[in-house]
Amino acid sequence: MAADSFSLADFDVIGFDLDHTICKYKLNEVFPLIYYSLAKNMVEKKGHDKSLLEPFELDKDFMTKGLVFDVITGDLLKLSGDGHILKASHGTRILSDEEIQTDYGKGRLWSPDKFQQLKETLKQTDDMRYFENYFDMTGAVLCARMVDIIDKKQADGKRPKTYYSFLSDMWQCYGYSYNRENFAANKGLFFPPIKENPEKYFQQCSKEMKDWLKSLKAAGKVVFLCTTSHVDYARHLLQYIIGPDWQSYFDVCCTYARKPGFFTGTPETRPFYELVDDVEQAESIVTTLEPDNIYSQGNALALLELLKKLTGKDDPKVVYVGDSLRSDVFPMASLNWSSLLILEEMQAEGLITNGDKENDGSDGDTNNPPPKRKKYSLPDALEIEYLLSSKWGSFFTTNNNISGDGKNENQTGIAAMNTLWGYFIKTYSDIAVPGLEYIIDLPLDHKFPTFSVEKNRSGFYPALPKALATP
Ligand SMILES: [Mg+2]
């Protein structure tokens, strides 16, 4: 990411993530479904405490995107871009500033080694897990509840030395929830309800959205889909949100891509496989992709060979659109692809608006006029209750004036985007929008300023999140 402006017209290829990008989920429905699927497996298959099944809604206000779980201390952390602890909880209890300083020192610095590795690689380790997307976020609530349960059971009233004991169970239970075979088999707790009632969980694409997606191919762009979902689930979803002709919107579809590995793997380590009747053919490795096909697994390098062929260019310009900073945004740097981030938190927290024209998409800047359509469908009031957390505060910044990066006001009157995830946004994405709906009315050659122009603000469209404005 280097250019100061971003225009879809400049790209030869536009790639899309599916879940939470093209497909908007009804978060107030899918979060509890994911949580109970996880928690029930923890209780029934792994024998953990039944109190995990207490209403998920009780911790609605605890849930937020981007928490880091320190497996040694059992603390959940909201970190700054330079490794300071902005906020923390032990279990579901938010720690006071004094407690944070007692546990981590006056400087409130988290383990510098762990932090450096996290910031540079976004790799999860045995000592540290983080929750950064809508499929894994409810896991932070489960971790917090587990820590409460473990502490309560300590005979001596002291904390255990580590909180490793339940983590492998939790990852196995995620596996049970999302096991791709469960969709076809109609098994498990996650897929069957979604298979039965797609309308409860997915929002259908508007006609305008479909027209816009179609217009990309019509404008000569190569358009691909790259999703971690297995093909049968992706098909179910796409048929519901787009319609039976969904495949015609894409030049090629990569399923079960298991990002971010898809973007960093090689043809040797992560080959593509052929699909027959939605079943992956273990013996049929695909080395040369063909257009108008759907593949399983794979890697970006082999995909790039097809993109070169379809564009007739040796070095096609590619942008990938997705919602996960870890899986969709961060890996783009190594491919030299651009990145458009879908970030519902922008709208959930609120955008800076012009006077009383709430959510009209205007930031009052005449060079950046609001889009014509004003009725955005996302996210609605019920979903916002899950996305916002009064306990943890803004996804973008915090009011604690403690970190070097966190001088909360700079010369331009814009609050610093000082969270770790804010760092990833401004460093690795070109622009960020609350949803695709916000850009489909714009001409393809609309020029968006990128985060390169002014790091704390310029890449947000249609406007700056409210938390970044000084009062
Ligand atoms: Mg996604």
Side-chain angles (χ1 to χ4, degrees), residues 407-450:
K407 293 186 292 287
N408 231 17
E409 203 173 306
N410 63 23
Q411 299 87 328
T412 56
I414 302 299
M417 182 157 66
N418 66 350
T419 59
L420 174 63
W421 299 101
Y423 163 81
F424 286 116
I425 293 169
K426 64 193 175 188
T427 309
Y428 291 100
S429 64
D430 286 68
I431 65 168
V433 302
L436 283 174
E437 289 192 340
Y438 289 72
I439 61 170
I440 60 179
D441 283 337
L442 302 172
L444 210 53
D445 62 2
H446 179 87
K447 281 193 175 6
F448 302 86
T450 65

Side-chain angles (χ1 to χ4, degrees), residues 17-21 133 135 259 322-324 328:
D17 168 43
L18 180 55
D19 297 299
H20 312 293
T21 296
N133 69 70
F135 284 144
K259 299 173 287 182
D323 66 293
S324 164
D328 302 326

Side-chain angles (χ1 to χ4, degrees), residues 267-303:
E268 290 73 34
T269 58
R270 283 195 163 240
F272 278 100
Y273 291 90
E274 203 175 292
L275 287 159
V276 175
D277 295 332
D278 288 353
V279 178
E280 197 178 284
Q281 306 298 299
E283 71 289 355
S284 295
I285 287 182
V286 180
T287 49
T288 308
L289 304 191
E290 300 290 340
D292 303 319
N293 233 325
I294 307 173
Y295 296 100
S296 195
Q297 305 205 32
N299 63 90
L301 296 179
L303 171 64

Side-chain angles (χ1 to χ4, degrees), residues 26-266:
K26 296 175 182 172
L27 297 174
N28 54 307
E29 298 290 350
V30 84
F31 283 151
L33 178 72
I34 293 169
Y35 178 80
Y36 288 121
S37 172
L38 191 60
K40 270 192 172 160
N41 282 324
M42 287 289 280
V43 172
E44 287 167 14
K45 288 200 161 82
K46 300 290 180 187
H48 289 283
D49 198 284
K50 283 195 181 65
S51 64
L52 287 176
L53 295 172
E54 278 177 10
F56 176 65
E57 289 71 13
L58 293 177
D59 285 318
K60 215 189 294 193
D61 192 43
F62 184 84
M63 195 169 70
T64 193
K65 198 194 251 187
L67 294 181
V68 174
F69 183 58
D70 184 321
V71 185
I72 309 287
T73 63
D75 292 347
L76 281 158
L77 309 172
K78 176 180 177 179
L79 294 172
S80 79
D82 54 7
H84 290 85
I85 297 167
L86 300 172
K87 283 180 189 282
S89 80
H90 187 75
T92 52
R93 192 175 68 82
I94 298 289
L95 300 180
S96 68
D97 285 342
E98 291 72 33
E99 285 173 303
I100 293 174
Q101 290 187 357
T102 304
D103 291 349
Y104 294 92
K106 278 235 174 311
R108 305 172 64 130
L109 210 55
W110 190 49
S111 159
D113 291 349
K114 283 189 209 169
F115 180 75
Q116 222 38 44
Q117 181 177 349
L118 170 62
K119 189 173 176 179
E120 284 165 19
T121 68
L122 269 173
K123 284 209 173 85
Q124 319 225 40
T125 65
D126 290 345
D127 289 352
M128 177 276 299
R129 292 281 167 171
Y130 58 82
F131 302 90
E132 63 88 44
N133 69 70
Y134 296 155
F135 284 144
D136 71 18
M137 250 165 76
T138 58
V141 173
L142 191 112
C143 283
R145 288 182 174 186
M146 278 303 306
V147 167
D148 288 345
I149 291 166
I150 290 169
D151 283 355
K152 222 179 274 174
K153 287 186 179 162
Q154 288 289 107
D156 58 2
K158 287 184 185 156
R159 291 181 188 177
K161 283 205 174 71
T162 74
Y163 289 83
Y164 283 113
S165 57
F166 71 92
L167 265 209
S168 67
D169 286 351
M170 186 172 96
W171 298 117
Q172 273 182 39
C173 290
Y174 265 120
Y176 298 142
S177 287
Y178 294 139
N179 179 350
R180 60 172 165 165
E181 285 161 14
N182 281 351
F183 183 79
N186 209 28
K187 275 169 57 183
L189 300 164
F190 176 73
F191 288 118
I194 297 186
K195 203 169 172 177
E196 177 82 14
N197 293 309
E199 69 288 346
K200 187 174 172 188
Y201 298 99
F202 306 144
Q203 188 172 294
Q204 283 178 304
C205 289
S206 62
K207 184 185 176 300
E208 291 82 3
M209 172 79 85
K210 292 197 275 185
D211 288 347
W212 180 78
L213 283 170
K214 263 188 204 154
S215 75
L216 302 176
K217 261 172 101 170
K221 307 298 174 196
V222 171
V223 179
F224 72 87
L225 182 75
C226 180
T227 174
T228 288
S229 295
H230 187 59
V231 60
D232 53 4
Y233 180 69
R235 182 192 302 281
H236 169 73
L237 188 162
L238 284 156
Q239 261 167 357
Y240 179 74
I241 65 165
I242 292 182
D245 64 338
W246 64 269
Q247 210 189 325
S248 69
Y249 288 68
F250 308 103
D251 288 287
V252 68
C253 299
C254 308
T255 61
Y256 200 57
R258 292 178 300 145
K259 299 173 287 182
F262 179 91
F263 295 115
T264 52
T266 65

